[in-house]
Amino acid sequence: MSAVPSMKLPRWVELGMLPVINLAAALVVSGLVVRWIGESPWAALKLMTDGAFGSQEAIGYTLYYATNFIFTGLAVAVAYHAGLFNIGAEGQAYIGGLGTGLVGLWLGHWPFWAVLPAAVAAGAVFGAAWAFIPAWLQARRGSHIVITTIMFNFIASALMTYLVVNVLIKPGQQSPETREFAAGASMPGMHAMLGKIGVPFTATPLNLAFFLALGLAALVWVFLWRTRWGYAVRVAGLNPAAAVYAGISPARVTVGAMLLSGALAGLLGLNELMGSQHRILLDFPGGAGFVGIAVALMGRNHPLGILAAAVLFGALAQGGSQLSFDMPRVNRDMVVVIQGLVILFCGALENVFRKPLEAVFNFGSRLAARGKTDR
Amino acid sequence: MNLPDSAAPPALELRGIDKRFGTVHANRGVSLSIARGTIHGLIGENGAGKSTLMNIVYGFQPADSGEIRVQGIPRVFGSPQDAIAAGIGMVHQHFMLVENFTVLENIVLGVEGRRLIAPGLARARSALAALARDYGLEVPLDALVSTLPVGLQQRVEILKALYRGAEILILDEPTAVLVPQEVEQLFRMLGRLAGQGKTVILVTHKLKEIMAVTSRVTVMRQGAVVAEVATRETTPRDLAEKMVGRAVLLRVEKTPATAGAELLAVRDLEVVDAFGVARVKGVSFSLHAGEIVGVAGVAGNGQSELLEALAGIRVPRRGEIRVAAAGGSPAGSDPRARRRLGLAHVPEDRLRMGVVAAFSAEHNAILGYHTLPEYNRGVLLDGDAVRGACERKMAGYDVRPANPRLPVSAFSGGNQQKLVMAREIESDPRVLLVGQPTRGVDIGAIEFIHRQLVGLRDAGKAVLLVSVELDEIIGLSDRILVMAGGEIIGELSPQEATEEKLGLMMAGVREMAEGGSRNPEGR
């Protein structure tokens, strides 16, 4: 017996219009909240967009935040295509950053072109290693990866606190952070790179890692949709029984995809530590691993969508801090509320407007069909 | 069967039912009138609109236009509850039962009455006793549903509908899971129901069943009613042609087999399921070049596990599988290794295992073969080669629409199956394992698929065919193995295999020569 054919939306509606409508809905509700605490929603919106895109400095900071979210968003997406919900990007980014940071501490006296590959390798290996344990537990022991990756976030946090406070801390000071990296472990800033080719750009933390993230997004796309390994990952994610039938081992895909996912998250330190902080300090991922989940969700787990969503969340982070700075009644927590609303509407409630839209397009195509038969 | 009373309004009347899904016109002005106290057949190929029509009648989805009259009264159904209230009951192909509830609990589910369940159960018990008396529908009310054979579970579904006051009973492919003897019981029961004034609508694709029990039959094609005839004035061939819209062959044409060398040998194979229960118990047989060996059996008697063990998907606990290609050495134990030895596999459940529904046709056409050098260029998949190969397969196997980029979920069951068959047969296997090759496949495609299997046999390959369709087993096989309770209970030639004989063996009765002892583990 035939299944009921499901009405599909045109691609441009699915990928373009639906996210925009979701975002608009989030902003409308945010506006109501801002209204409710007695500020003007229009002024707030203007402050936020200006704060995020209004100047070179604003754009620099927005893209700097976005870089973190690209790494973690790609990490969540790769796992997602294998049918795995990696909640642990935060911890993987934290431990991966440890690897990058150790390279910065120990090899920072090398020239930058020699430090970079070592830092990339160390970040990827440390992040992958942190993801390997939950992956192995899922593949061989059936422990659910959602639970184990959450637990590994806490373990990573505790481990890093111990290491930074007791082992790596710069001697003779109170604040829990290491000494600064030597010059070789410093990512070239965007202002420096653009300055070399004669384009003036305000000094911001935006750095070479942004381009690395863009390059990785392209590589992830090639891997997932243009290689036999990516093919195997997607088969296992969409239909594990078909994977077994095809001779693809779901257990191996689970481990492989999580290693890749952890490696991607682990590169966050390139941007955050080598690009901005130049030392290892506590809690440097700052929730980027969790934002990565929202970024991947909103970006439909496609690298292009992830880029767009990462910029949006970068803008929310940067514009939000500007907003809390300029509007006394909108404090940091209010900004978190707004970010939460965006995640709610774009992630959790992403299909709320699908039915009405489908009805509209259904009606349209039926009218078109009637028109044809009438003629 | 009672003659319909011409003065009384028809039990169910549909007038101009029309339904579109986007651009798909699923029902085109369907009008239908079914007299009270009759068994009415509804047949059509997959996608002909039978399911949509019955879903509309049962209130699952509204029609775009048209009218439904029940016992002469116009009705509008917003949900199945409305349809049930109007006296319509439905028995789905896949039972909607809670396995670890008793029969009685299942029957009252949703109509328990008040907050306390005990009085409702007591009421139901006496009402059901009356129903059982009137219609001969005995079931052990306090048995757990999971312990009942499939035939009895179906009876529970029927009782559920009757208990809710159904006057019109819709049965969707009710015989798919039954052995022939159970089918006979079901039909006797339906006859009694009709005799007492209930109206039965039998939705099926099996022409033989239509001929056996219905008094009238409606044929649908492409969403429209193409014929409504009295069953005794028609023939299966005539109905098949009306369904498909052209002449069809109902019998498989083939020459006698010339079996050659042994290609696959299975010795004392034992396969356990995830719970450690043995599903295949010491099975031995061999498969020769140039023959089709059929495995008959009621679904769930170990055929699936046997097939999956042979394909390398399940690791057997004991026993030996040898493929001749490797010089008689034991075959590797994973599916990829088996494929390399020339063992191709068309899985029983296409959507669960054979395809990735969200993938395009071209990517499904390399499933299991995606690592072959011909589809890869360095680290990248060779998009042109993948597409070209899919286009050739689609052309050779008449897959429609011939668009390699379309997701497989957009193809009909028959075309999906043709794509899977193309993938496996074109890999040039020495042995082809096929499970339910024509499940959910329309008549036109069945004919094509059967010809492919016979063609493979004639090219000197070996085919192992697992099917619950006895006609298919008898029509295609050169030898028939019957499985019951995980064992091969006997072997028949297609000439000596009658439905009755097969049915008895499938129910676990050993061959008559062995004294007809019943196998307690059979069912």
mmCIF file of all heavy atoms in Angstrom, chain A residues 226-261:
data_model
loop_
_atom_site.group_PDB
_atom_site.id
_atom_site.type_symbol
_atom_site.label_atom_id
_atom_site.label_comp_id
_atom_site.label_asym_id
_atom_site.label_seq_id
_atom_site.Cartn_x
_atom_site.Cartn_y
_atom_site.Cartn_z
ATOM 1 N N ARG A 226 31.492 13.964 -0.773
ATOM 2 C CA ARG A 226 32.257 13.619 -1.966
ATOM 3 C C ARG A 226 33.245 12.474 -1.764
ATOM 4 O O ARG A 226 34.013 12.176 -2.659
ATOM 5 C CB ARG A 226 33.010 14.849 -2.494
ATOM 6 C CG ARG A 226 32.108 15.883 -3.166
ATOM 7 C CD ARG A 226 31.519 15.332 -4.462
ATOM 8 N NE ARG A 226 30.649 16.275 -5.134
ATOM 9 C CZ ARG A 226 29.335 16.369 -4.915
ATOM 10 N NH1 ARG A 226 28.752 15.576 -4.027
ATOM 11 N NH2 ARG A 226 28.614 17.242 -5.575
ATOM 12 N N THR A 227 33.257 11.839 -0.591
ATOM 13 C CA THR A 227 34.168 10.715 -0.403
ATOM 14 C C THR A 227 33.387 9.480 0.040
ATOM 15 O O THR A 227 32.272 9.584 0.553
ATOM 16 C CB THR A 227 35.234 10.991 0.685
ATOM 17 O OG1 THR A 227 34.583 11.031 1.961
ATOM 18 C CG2 THR A 227 35.940 12.314 0.445
ATOM 19 N N ARG A 228 33.992 8.313 -0.188
ATOM 20 C CA ARG A 228 33.319 7.071 0.204
ATOM 21 C C ARG A 228 33.194 6.974 1.719
ATOM 22 O O ARG A 228 32.288 6.335 2.224
ATOM 23 C CB ARG A 228 34.038 5.854 -0.382
ATOM 24 C CG ARG A 228 35.522 5.747 -0.078
ATOM 25 C CD ARG A 228 36.118 4.545 -0.827
ATOM 26 N NE ARG A 228 37.540 4.404 -0.671
ATOM 27 C CZ ARG A 228 38.449 5.054 -1.411
ATOM 28 N NH1 ARG A 228 38.061 5.899 -2.342
ATOM 29 N NH2 ARG A 228 39.735 4.849 -1.226
ATOM 30 N N TRP A 229 34.131 7.642 2.445
ATOM 31 C CA TRP A 229 34.027 7.574 3.917
ATOM 32 C C TRP A 229 32.849 8.415 4.405
ATOM 33 O O TRP A 229 32.112 8.008 5.287
ATOM 34 C CB TRP A 229 35.328 8.043 4.555
ATOM 35 C CG TRP A 229 36.503 7.262 4.074
ATOM 36 C CD1 TRP A 229 36.761 5.940 4.335
ATOM 37 C CD2 TRP A 229 37.543 7.718 3.204
ATOM 38 N NE1 TRP A 229 37.911 5.558 3.682
ATOM 39 C CE2 TRP A 229 38.418 6.617 2.992
ATOM 40 C CE3 TRP A 229 37.828 8.925 2.596
ATOM 41 C CZ2 TRP A 229 39.555 6.709 2.183
ATOM 42 C CZ3 TRP A 229 38.969 9.033 1.803
ATOM 43 C CH2 TRP A 229 39.809 7.931 1.596
ATOM 44 N N GLY A 230 32.705 9.586 3.797
ATOM 45 C CA GLY A 230 31.557 10.414 4.149
ATOM 46 C C GLY A 230 30.262 9.707 3.794
ATOM 47 O O GLY A 230 29.271 9.772 4.526
ATOM 48 N N TYR A 231 30.274 9.019 2.662
ATOM 49 C CA TYR A 231 29.116 8.226 2.241
ATOM 50 C C TYR A 231 28.773 7.197 3.322
ATOM 51 O O TYR A 231 27.615 7.079 3.741
ATOM 52 C CB TYR A 231 29.456 7.539 0.914
ATOM 53 C CG TYR A 231 28.385 6.639 0.361
ATOM 54 C CD1 TYR A 231 27.388 7.142 -0.465
ATOM 55 C CD2 TYR A 231 28.373 5.276 0.650
ATOM 56 C CE1 TYR A 231 26.414 6.323 -0.988
ATOM 57 C CE2 TYR A 231 27.398 4.446 0.138
ATOM 58 C CZ TYR A 231 26.422 4.971 -0.684
ATOM 59 O OH TYR A 231 25.449 4.159 -1.192
ATOM 60 N N ALA A 232 29.815 6.500 3.787
ATOM 61 C CA ALA A 232 29.581 5.483 4.818
ATOM 62 C C ALA A 232 29.023 6.120 6.093
ATOM 63 O O ALA A 232 28.104 5.581 6.716
ATOM 64 C CB ALA A 232 30.882 4.744 5.120
ATOM 65 N N VAL A 233 29.567 7.283 6.456
ATOM 66 C CA VAL A 233 29.089 7.968 7.659
ATOM 67 C C VAL A 233 27.600 8.288 7.511
ATOM 68 O O VAL A 233 26.796 8.045 8.418
ATOM 69 C CB VAL A 233 29.881 9.273 7.911
ATOM 70 C CG1 VAL A 233 29.175 10.162 8.924
ATOM 71 C CG2 VAL A 233 31.291 8.936 8.396
ATOM 72 N N ARG A 234 27.209 8.821 6.354
ATOM 73 C CA ARG A 234 25.816 9.221 6.196
ATOM 74 C C ARG A 234 24.880 8.022 6.105
ATOM 75 O O ARG A 234 23.758 8.065 6.602
ATOM 76 C CB ARG A 234 25.666 10.131 4.970
ATOM 77 C CG ARG A 234 26.305 11.513 5.226
ATOM 78 C CD ARG A 234 26.091 12.478 4.074
ATOM 79 N NE ARG A 234 26.644 11.960 2.839
ATOM 80 C CZ ARG A 234 25.951 11.820 1.712
ATOM 81 N NH1 ARG A 234 24.709 12.179 1.651
ATOM 82 N NH2 ARG A 234 26.535 11.334 0.628
ATOM 83 N N VAL A 235 25.339 6.927 5.475
ATOM 84 C CA VAL A 235 24.508 5.714 5.459
ATOM 85 C C VAL A 235 24.258 5.251 6.895
ATOM 86 O O VAL A 235 23.125 4.986 7.297
ATOM 87 C CB VAL A 235 25.164 4.578 4.642
ATOM 88 C CG1 VAL A 235 24.403 3.277 4.826
ATOM 89 C CG2 VAL A 235 25.207 4.945 3.163
ATOM 90 N N ALA A 236 25.340 5.188 7.675
ATOM 91 C CA ALA A 236 25.201 4.703 9.051
ATOM 92 C C ALA A 236 24.313 5.631 9.865
ATOM 93 O O ALA A 236 23.568 5.189 10.733
ATOM 94 C CB ALA A 236 26.579 4.580 9.701
ATOM 95 N N GLY A 237 24.391 6.935 9.579
ATOM 96 C CA GLY A 237 23.573 7.882 10.335
ATOM 97 C C GLY A 237 22.111 7.805 9.966
ATOM 98 O O GLY A 237 21.245 7.921 10.827
ATOM 99 N N LEU A 238 21.831 7.609 8.677
ATOM 100 C CA LEU A 238 20.436 7.620 8.231
ATOM 101 C C LEU A 238 19.761 6.271 8.395
ATOM 102 O O LEU A 238 18.556 6.195 8.614
ATOM 103 C CB LEU A 238 20.357 8.047 6.756
ATOM 104 C CG LEU A 238 20.575 9.536 6.499
ATOM 105 C CD1 LEU A 238 20.786 9.799 5.021
ATOM 106 C CD2 LEU A 238 19.380 10.331 6.997
ATOM 107 N N ASN A 239 20.508 5.191 8.226
ATOM 108 C CA ASN A 239 19.897 3.864 8.272
ATOM 109 C C ASN A 239 20.934 2.823 8.683
ATOM 110 O O ASN A 239 21.573 2.203 7.839
ATOM 111 C CB ASN A 239 19.320 3.530 6.880
ATOM 112 C CG ASN A 239 18.493 2.268 6.899
ATOM 113 O OD1 ASN A 239 18.597 1.467 7.828
ATOM 114 N ND2 ASN A 239 17.684 2.078 5.887
ATOM 115 N N PRO A 240 21.094 2.639 10.003
ATOM 116 C CA PRO A 240 22.120 1.709 10.485
ATOM 117 C C PRO A 240 21.951 0.290 9.933
ATOM 118 O O PRO A 240 22.947 -0.384 9.651
ATOM 119 C CB PRO A 240 21.921 1.715 12.002
ATOM 120 C CG PRO A 240 21.214 3.000 12.302
ATOM 121 C CD PRO A 240 20.378 3.305 11.097
ATOM 122 N N ALA A 241 20.699 -0.147 9.746
ATOM 123 C CA ALA A 241 20.487 -1.504 9.222
ATOM 124 C C ALA A 241 21.026 -1.605 7.802
ATOM 125 O O ALA A 241 21.648 -2.601 7.423
ATOM 126 C CB ALA A 241 18.998 -1.856 9.253
ATOM 127 N N ALA A 242 20.801 -0.553 7.003
ATOM 128 C CA ALA A 242 21.317 -0.562 5.639
ATOM 129 C C ALA A 242 22.839 -0.515 5.649
ATOM 130 O O ALA A 242 23.489 -1.084 4.777
ATOM 131 C CB ALA A 242 20.761 0.626 4.848
ATOM 132 N N ALA A 243 23.409 0.158 6.648
ATOM 133 C CA ALA A 243 24.868 0.213 6.747
ATOM 134 C C ALA A 243 25.419 -1.188 6.970
ATOM 135 O O ALA A 243 26.347 -1.620 6.285
ATOM 136 C CB ALA A 243 25.282 1.150 7.882
ATOM 137 N N VAL A 244 24.821 -1.915 7.914
ATOM 138 C CA VAL A 244 25.270 -3.281 8.183
ATOM 139 C C VAL A 244 25.141 -4.120 6.914
ATOM 140 O O VAL A 244 26.060 -4.847 6.524
ATOM 141 C CB VAL A 244 24.438 -3.911 9.321
ATOM 142 C CG1 VAL A 244 24.785 -5.380 9.474
ATOM 143 C CG2 VAL A 244 24.700 -3.169 10.624
ATOM 144 N N TYR A 245 24.008 -3.970 6.245
ATOM 145 C CA TYR A 245 23.762 -4.704 4.999
ATOM 146 C C TYR A 245 24.851 -4.411 3.974
ATOM 147 O O TYR A 245 25.292 -5.281 3.241
ATOM 148 C CB TYR A 245 22.386 -4.311 4.462
ATOM 149 C CG TYR A 245 22.170 -4.607 3.003
ATOM 150 C CD1 TYR A 245 21.893 -5.906 2.576
ATOM 151 C CD2 TYR A 245 22.232 -3.598 2.056
ATOM 152 C CE1 TYR A 245 21.699 -6.185 1.245
ATOM 153 C CE2 TYR A 245 22.036 -3.859 0.712
ATOM 154 C CZ TYR A 245 21.775 -5.155 0.307
ATOM 155 O OH TYR A 245 21.585 -5.419 -1.005
ATOM 156 N N ALA A 246 25.301 -3.137 3.940
ATOM 157 C CA ALA A 246 26.276 -2.727 2.935
ATOM 158 C C ALA A 246 27.706 -3.023 3.367
ATOM 159 O O ALA A 246 28.637 -2.680 2.658
ATOM 160 C CB ALA A 246 26.121 -1.233 2.640
ATOM 161 N N GLY A 247 27.879 -3.646 4.522
ATOM 162 C CA GLY A 247 29.219 -3.961 4.977
ATOM 163 C C GLY A 247 29.919 -2.798 5.647
ATOM 164 O O GLY A 247 31.127 -2.786 5.774
ATOM 165 N N ILE A 248 29.154 -1.797 6.041
ATOM 166 C CA ILE A 248 29.715 -0.665 6.773
ATOM 167 C C ILE A 248 29.493 -0.945 8.252
ATOM 168 O O ILE A 248 28.360 -1.185 8.660
ATOM 169 C CB ILE A 248 28.992 0.647 6.391
ATOM 170 C CG1 ILE A 248 29.153 0.928 4.895
ATOM 171 C CG2 ILE A 248 29.495 1.813 7.230
ATOM 172 C CD1 ILE A 248 28.172 1.956 4.362
ATOM 173 N N SER A 249 30.553 -0.906 9.046
ATOM 174 C CA SER A 249 30.394 -1.203 10.465
ATOM 175 C C SER A 249 29.951 0.052 11.215
ATOM 176 O O SER A 249 30.698 1.023 11.282
ATOM 177 C CB SER A 249 31.722 -1.712 11.033
ATOM 178 O OG SER A 249 31.773 -1.437 12.418
ATOM 179 N N PRO A 250 28.734 0.058 11.765
ATOM 180 C CA PRO A 250 28.279 1.231 12.499
ATOM 181 C C PRO A 250 29.202 1.577 13.670
ATOM 182 O O PRO A 250 29.393 2.752 13.979
ATOM 183 C CB PRO A 250 26.888 0.839 13.001
ATOM 184 C CG PRO A 250 26.436 -0.224 12.065
ATOM 185 C CD PRO A 250 27.680 -0.961 11.689
ATOM 186 N N ALA A 251 29.793 0.570 14.286
ATOM 187 C CA ALA A 251 30.690 0.839 15.415
ATOM 188 C C ALA A 251 31.902 1.629 14.936
ATOM 189 O O ALA A 251 32.331 2.595 15.571
ATOM 190 C CB ALA A 251 31.129 -0.477 16.057
ATOM 191 N N ARG A 252 32.459 1.237 13.783
ATOM 192 C CA ARG A 252 33.629 1.949 13.276
ATOM 193 C C ARG A 252 33.256 3.358 12.849
ATOM 194 O O ARG A 252 34.025 4.295 13.037
ATOM 195 C CB ARG A 252 34.246 1.171 12.120
ATOM 196 C CG ARG A 252 35.044 -0.019 12.610
ATOM 197 C CD ARG A 252 35.594 -0.851 11.490
ATOM 198 N NE ARG A 252 36.525 -0.091 10.641
ATOM 199 C CZ ARG A 252 37.174 -0.638 9.621
ATOM 200 N NH1 ARG A 252 36.988 -1.900 9.324
ATOM 201 N NH2 ARG A 252 37.991 0.088 8.894
ATOM 202 N N VAL A 253 32.069 3.502 12.271
ATOM 203 C CA VAL A 253 31.622 4.842 11.888
ATOM 204 C C VAL A 253 31.462 5.707 13.136
ATOM 205 O O VAL A 253 31.872 6.872 13.165
ATOM 206 C CB VAL A 253 30.305 4.786 11.097
ATOM 207 C CG1 VAL A 253 29.694 6.176 10.980
ATOM 208 C CG2 VAL A 253 30.558 4.207 9.710
ATOM 209 N N THR A 254 30.886 5.128 14.187
ATOM 210 C CA THR A 254 30.707 5.867 15.433
ATOM 211 C C THR A 254 32.051 6.394 15.941
ATOM 212 O O THR A 254 32.201 7.584 16.236
ATOM 213 C CB THR A 254 30.075 4.955 16.505
ATOM 214 O OG1 THR A 254 28.763 4.600 16.063
ATOM 215 C CG2 THR A 254 29.988 5.645 17.844
ATOM 216 N N VAL A 255 33.027 5.512 16.011
ATOM 217 C CA VAL A 255 34.337 5.933 16.526
ATOM 218 C C VAL A 255 34.978 6.936 15.579
ATOM 219 O O VAL A 255 35.467 7.998 15.999
ATOM 220 C CB VAL A 255 35.240 4.699 16.741
ATOM 221 C CG1 VAL A 255 36.654 5.139 17.077
ATOM 222 C CG2 VAL A 255 34.671 3.830 17.857
ATOM 223 N N GLY A 256 34.941 6.644 14.272
ATOM 224 C CA GLY A 256 35.588 7.536 13.303
ATOM 225 C C GLY A 256 34.969 8.922 13.304
ATOM 226 O O GLY A 256 35.682 9.936 13.342
ATOM 227 N N ALA A 257 33.644 8.975 13.283
ATOM 228 C CA ALA A 257 32.976 10.277 13.218
ATOM 229 C C ALA A 257 33.218 11.074 14.498
ATOM 230 O O ALA A 257 33.392 12.296 14.464
ATOM 231 C CB ALA A 257 31.480 10.091 12.990
ATOM 232 N N MET A 258 33.254 10.382 15.642
ATOM 233 C CA MET A 258 33.486 11.102 16.893
ATOM 234 C C MET A 258 34.930 11.597 16.988
ATOM 235 O O MET A 258 35.184 12.680 17.531
ATOM 236 C CB MET A 258 33.144 10.218 18.099
ATOM 237 C CG MET A 258 31.665 10.125 18.400
ATOM 238 S SD MET A 258 30.886 11.736 18.692
ATOM 239 C CE MET A 258 31.526 12.116 20.323
ATOM 240 N N LEU A 259 35.878 10.822 16.460
ATOM 241 C CA LEU A 259 37.262 11.304 16.442
ATOM 242 C C LEU A 259 37.353 12.598 15.634
ATOM 243 O O LEU A 259 37.963 13.576 16.046
ATOM 244 C CB LEU A 259 38.185 10.236 15.839
ATOM 245 C CG LEU A 259 38.505 9.028 16.722
ATOM 246 C CD1 LEU A 259 39.379 8.028 15.970
ATOM 247 C CD2 LEU A 259 39.207 9.466 18.001
ATOM 248 N N LEU A 260 36.683 12.577 14.478
ATOM 249 C CA LEU A 260 36.695 13.759 13.626
ATOM 250 C C LEU A 260 36.010 14.933 14.311
ATOM 251 O O LEU A 260 36.481 16.075 14.289
ATOM 252 C CB LEU A 260 35.952 13.405 12.329
ATOM 253 C CG LEU A 260 36.417 14.097 11.071
ATOM 254 C CD1 LEU A 260 37.896 13.894 10.867
ATOM 255 C CD2 LEU A 260 35.626 13.565 9.888
ATOM 256 N N SER A 261 34.883 14.624 14.947
ATOM 257 C CA SER A 261 34.115 15.649 15.637
ATOM 258 C C SER A 261 34.948 16.285 16.754
ATOM 259 O O SER A 261 35.050 17.513 16.861
ATOM 260 C CB SER A 261 32.837 15.019 16.202
ATOM 261 O OG SER A 261 32.087 15.971 16.906
#
